[in-house]
Amino acid sequence: MTSAAAGGRAAAARSRWCGALAGVVALLVSIAVVLAGCSREPAQQGVEAQAPEAKEQAGPSVTVSDDQALGPVPDWQTPTVSVTDENVEALQAGADEALQAGNLYEDSESAIPIYLALKAHAGEDAEAAREADEGLQRAIAALIEQGDAALAGIDTAPEGLQRAQQVVAVARAVAADAEPVVAYLERVESMERVQQASRAGERALEAGRIDDGKDAAVAHFRHALELREGDARALQGLAASESALIRRAEQAAEAYDYERAEAELARAAKVRPGNDTVAHARQRIAAKRASRIGDLRDLGIAALSREDGLDTAREHLAELLRIAPKGDPAAAELRERIELATHYGLFRPGQVFTDALKNGGRGPQMVVIPHGAFTMGAADDEEGASDSERPTRNIRFDRGLAVARTEVTVAEFRRYVEATGNEPRAVRRGYSTVYDERSGNLVRRGGAGPEDGYTGRPADDDMPVVHVSAADAAAYASWLSEQTGHTYRLPSEAEFEYALRAGSQGRFPWGDGAPPAGAGNFTGGLDTSPSGRRWRNAFEGYGDGAWGPAEVGSYAANAYGLHDMAGNVSEWVADCWHDNYRRAPRDGHAWVNPGCREKVVRGGSWASSPEQTRSAWRLSVRGDTTNARVGFRVVREI
């Protein structure tokens, strides 16, 4: 390199140095910002975490300790060294000793001031001048080594930049144009740019500008790393930026805004890709989210146990759905529980239960049938149907219903009579209609009542009670209500047909044609009476092994778990008779006219023709009628 080129390079370096010194020397040198929430980075000296509330408004706060702050580095003033001919050798030895000890420029006993003084004293003495200059060059080299060491240690000792700048001040004063000095000055200037970028990042971080735009903290810290790979201050600045975004995510999660929380985590994950801090934060937030979801589910379920808790449970579900991931099982569970409670209260479809009676014992077995809709009545083209079964109408039940599993038995009805002392209609009247085997007809017989079977002789306890009027049946249901504290009653026509069909829409509950084996107690072509009689109008090829009523529950239950809905004995319902359904209630309630005499009987019996076993079949019967073919069952509101 020519002296002109070296001089130009030195002049340029000096120019850059002077400009940088004026604007950069005063910058604070601090370690990276460590925010609250960055639990995986060690705490650094001089960094204070601001309270979360303040962070949300003003961003991260960075405090720089006094020993990290930099003031302007003044020009180096050469310490005065007195040289005489008598002390030259002593000073030369002292300078060499100071150089060896690393005491280079601080005072008059330091190597560089002595070598400079010796060089000036040498004058025309070339040998002395050479010896002093050689020492000075060794001292300058050692000075630069000290400066480079300060730069190298800046990650752990931030004040090293000030030390390096002091070295620059000395080197400029001693040998500004020397190539090693110029090269060193460039290294210091580069480090200052690194520190300046990190400081800009810290300021942006404090202002809340984390990762959006060129003036954001992340951009400044990455620029610092481009200038100096692995810079600790910039790396920890990125960690602080990541932590700030994680804290924002946590604050959003604390407000149950998990969509925003995930967005903040996604931003945080881009700051230091491959780092596990965001993954751990996501796990923490997910755990808290799952806990909150579980709490809302439990609160909703607990609310459903209260009579007025349905609206509260729905509120919990709405909040749960707002914060839960799509398809969350807790949300599905609470929604299902609310749906069930809406339609079934504390029960479940298909549930079998009994209620306790106040005077001891249990009421009849009840089955919860599902809510739903069906088409009531007979289609226009249904074989054997009558106009009284039309027009068809769509009925929907928004609430489930508990229906007696079987017809009321002789024993169950007896308990009511004994408890109340009420006399059933047949007992008060003194007769009922029974089956006469000799004639094969239904005949009036004195003394027959609810304790008797279809022939008028005493019945077993598990037989369906017959010889009861519509009023007797209603009175039994009222007694159950009083005994249990729940509402028992006779079913409406719509409820009976809905329960009988159990989801089917065919002519018969099982479809069309003859019933399948074991389906119920119907008039079958294979049935015979005790004296060998057979039915003239029956289901061909079907036999159920009974002539007369059978014990309740002897045959297969339908799809809703109910026995003998279409056979065994016909049953009273709550409706008054009307010739058709034209003005019938649309909600499935009983169609009642106060004081009506004609009531409705539904469901086939052991002595009903196939046409009378159809799902839509209905019959008008005087309410005070008692005979061997009609019994009843109850329903309970839930």
Side-chain angles (χ1 to χ4, degrees), residues 29-77:
V29 178
S30 67
I31 61 174
V33 183
V34 180
L35 300 176
C38 185
S39 59
R40 292 191 166 270
E41 300 297 339
Q44 300 294 320
Q45 179 183 9
V47 179
E48 296 179 358
Q50 193 176 15
E53 294 78 10
K55 288 179 185 176
E56 185 67 11
Q57 298 177 359
S61 175
V62 182
T63 301
V64 181
S65 302
D66 291 338
D67 60 351
Q68 295 175 305
L70 291 180
V73 178
D75 291 340
W76 183 64
Q77 301 296 322

Side-chain angles (χ1 to χ4, degrees), residues 328-483:
D328 187 85
E333 179 185 359
L334 182 55
R335 184 189 288 111
E336 181 183 3
R337 293 287 192 100
I338 290 174
E339 179 75 8
L340 290 171
T342 300
H343 301 297
Y344 306 103
L346 301 179
F347 296 93
R348 299 291 180 271
Q351 182 177 347
V352 180
F353 70 93
T354 61
D355 285 322
L357 304 179
K358 286 195 299 187
N359 64 2
R362 312 290 300 185
Q365 276 195 338
M366 309 299 293
V367 180
V368 179
I369 66 172
H371 76 288
F374 81 112
T375 301
M376 182 177 180
D380 292 341
D381 60 351
E382 183 173 311
E383 182 182 353
S386 68
D387 289 341
S388 67
E389 302 164 7
R390 301 187 181 100
T392 58
R393 58 205 182 105
N394 294 324
I395 302 293
R396 179 170 188 81
F397 298 103
D398 290 327
R399 185 77 177 174
L401 185 71
V403 180
R405 183 168 170 267
T406 67
E407 302 107 334
V408 174
T409 67
V410 170
E412 288 170 337
F413 194 79
R414 181 191 303 127
R415 172 176 285 182
Y416 147 71
V417 172
E418 292 175 347
T420 63
N422 292 341
E423 287 189 330
R425 175 65 176 172
V427 174
R428 294 198 310 273
R429 190 166 51 191
Y431 67 87
S432 186
T433 300
V434 302
Y435 173 76
D436 178 53
E437 178 65 26
R438 287 178 299 175
S439 64
N441 295 319
L442 291 172
V443 299
R444 179 182 296 180
R445 177 165 299 169
E451 288 288 328
D452 302 314
Y454 78 111
T455 62
R457 290 188 289 272
D460 292 337
D461 284 353
D462 289 335
M463 297 295 290
V465 67
V466 290
H467 307 301
V468 289
S469 68
D472 294 332
Y476 173 81
S478 296
W479 174 73
L480 282 179
S481 298
E482 185 272 330
Q483 284 287 306

Side-chain angles (χ1 to χ4, degrees), residues 1 5 92 97 163 233 259 289 416 456 463:
M1 179 182 294
Q92 182 70 46
E97 184 178 342
R163 173 69 174 168
R233 183 177 182 182
E259 184 176 348
R289 185 182 192 181
Y416 147 71
M463 297 295 290

Side-chain angles (χ1 to χ4, degrees), residues 168-299:
V168 167
V170 175
R172 281 193 308 114
V174 176
D177 296 335
E179 185 173 350
V181 172
V182 172
Y184 171 69
L185 188 150
E186 290 176 346
R187 291 195 293 277
V188 173
E189 186 178 347
S190 176
M191 181 63 75
E192 288 168 347
R193 290 196 298 271
V194 172
Q195 298 300 308
Q196 184 179 21
S198 291
R199 180 57 181 151
E202 290 160 4
R203 287 173 175 164
L205 193 56
E206 290 180 4
R209 302 189 308 275
I210 300 176
D211 63 336
D212 187 14
K214 293 182 179 180
D215 193 33
V218 170
H220 287 302
F221 291 131
R222 284 179 176 162
H223 179 57
L225 290 170
E226 289 173 0
L227 296 174
R228 182 173 182 255
E229 184 178 359
D231 184 77
R233 183 177 182 182
L235 288 172
Q236 293 184 14
L238 287 179
S241 301
E242 177 190 68
S243 294
L245 292 172
I246 289 174
R247 180 55 187 153
R248 287 183 180 181
E250 290 172 340
Q251 289 171 334
E254 288 166 5
Y256 308 127
D257 187 350
Y258 294 103
E259 184 176 348
R260 183 163 68 90
E262 180 54 38
E264 297 292 350
L265 288 176
R267 292 169 61 188
K270 296 177 182 178
V271 176
R272 297 194 301 166
N275 189 278
D276 61 359
T277 307
V278 174
H280 291 159
R282 184 174 279 113
Q283 290 174 359
R284 293 195 303 271
I285 290 174
K288 291 181 179 179
R289 185 182 192 181
S291 177
R292 176 60 178 167
I293 289 170
D295 289 344
L296 288 170
R297 177 201 57 201
D298 295 343
L299 288 170

Side-chain angles (χ1 to χ4, degrees), residues 295-332:
D295 289 344
L296 288 170
R297 177 201 57 201
D298 295 343
L299 288 170
I301 293 173
L304 291 175
S305 65
R306 302 191 298 269
E307 288 188 10
D308 58 348
L310 192 56
D311 287 342
T312 301
R314 288 182 176 134
E315 291 173 1
H316 290 313
L317 175 61
E319 176 65 12
L320 196 160
L321 290 173
R322 187 181 72 79
I323 70 172
K326 186 177 181 180
D328 187 85

Side-chain angles (χ1 to χ4, degrees), residues 376 393 470 489-497 571-578 580-581 584-585 587-593 596-602 618-623:
M376 182 177 180
R393 58 205 182 105
R489 55 178 174 78
L490 296 180
S492 68
E493 267 202 89
E495 289 168 341
F496 189 95
E497 186 172 333
E571 301 179 27
W572 292 111
V573 293
D575 299 64
C576 294
W577 175 259
H578 296 85
N580 53 56
Y581 294 139
D587 58 4
H589 285 104
W591 192 0
V592 177
N593 304 112
C596 69
R597 294 186 178 182
E598 295 294 315
K599 304 290 285 187
V600 180
V601 166
R602 296 297 302 256
R618 60 197 295 260
L619 180 67
S620 172
V621 178
R622 283 182 60 90

